[in-house]
Amino acid sequence: MTFNLQVTRSAREENWNHDAMTAAKSFARSACAIANSLDILGDKWSLLVVRDLLHGKRTYGELADSPEGIPTNLLADRLKRLESAGIVTSTPYQERPVRYAYTLTPKGSALGEVLLAFVHWGKKHIPGTVALHQEPAGGEVAASATNSRRRRVKRAG
């Protein structure tokens, strides 16, 4: 006498297994929160764009005028990437040519805490660094658009 035994899973177990497998496959490298955050924000420009939006810049021209001098092709790419990640939204404010105003979503605004942690760390561990718009004795600090060295700008008046 021969018996054939078949083991099946309940629908609930099957859905859990499928969801877990689908979620794991959707990550580029791993399920690590840091790795996935870096996949979105880990280049040298994205967090600076977020910083500028947090400080009130809204248009492409305003973002392009930042002291770090982001190349315009990279700015366009980063804005698209941040928008597709749900960090930035764009709204047309002019028809011909079409121009957009950029704002942070709640998800993007939450990055303010991350940037503040960078400010605290940088001020503590990198001599001479300041927070944006903070004035050391004798003037403001602005980054040169042509290189990363800092220069002092004397204030008028």
Side-chain angles (χ1 to χ4, degrees):
M1 186 187 253
T2 305
F3 290 98
N4 287 330
L5 180 65
Q6 181 177 357
V7 177
T8 60
R9 296 179 189 204
S10 69
R12 185 172 145 203
E13 288 174 317
E14 199 62 41
N15 285 339
W16 178 87
N17 189 38
H18 174 72
D19 291 346
M21 297 285 284
T22 303
K25 289 180 184 177
S26 67
F27 297 122
R29 295 185 282 174
S30 73
C32 173
I34 294 172
N36 283 282
S37 297
L38 288 173
D39 287 343
I40 297 169
L41 300 161
D43 63 272
K44 72 183 213 177
W45 298 109
S46 294
L47 287 176
L48 295 175
V49 171
V50 171
R51 176 206 64 192
D52 288 346
L53 291 169
L54 282 167
H55 284 115
K57 293 186 177 188
R58 295 287 174 254
T59 66
Y60 188 88
E62 290 172 342
L63 294 166
D65 284 340
S66 290
E68 292 82 15
I70 183 172
T72 55
N73 61 325
L74 292 178
L75 176 58
D77 177 71
R78 293 317 179 266
L79 287 167
K80 287 177 189 172
R81 184 187 303 177
L82 292 170
E83 190 166 16
S84 69
I87 293 168
V88 170
T89 59
S90 62
T91 307
Y93 70 88
Q94 179 179 311
E95 299 258 341
R96 288 188 174 193
V98 178
R99 292 195 173 140
Y100 296 92
Y102 299 93
T103 55
L104 292 169
T105 63
K107 180 178 175 179
S109 293
L111 287 166
E113 296 174 34
V114 173
L115 293 178
L116 190 56
F118 270 108
V119 168
H120 292 306
W121 187 89
K123 286 173 62 178
K124 182 175 181 179
H125 298 287
I126 305 171
T129 60
V130 297
L132 186 65
H133 302 303
Q134 181 180 344
E135 298 177 21
E140 282 180 11
V141 172
S144 169
T146 57
N147 62 44
S148 62
R149 285 181 287 152
R150 300 194 185 281
R151 60 184 163 90
R152 290 198 184 269
V153 179
K154 294 289 182 188
R155 294 185 57 171

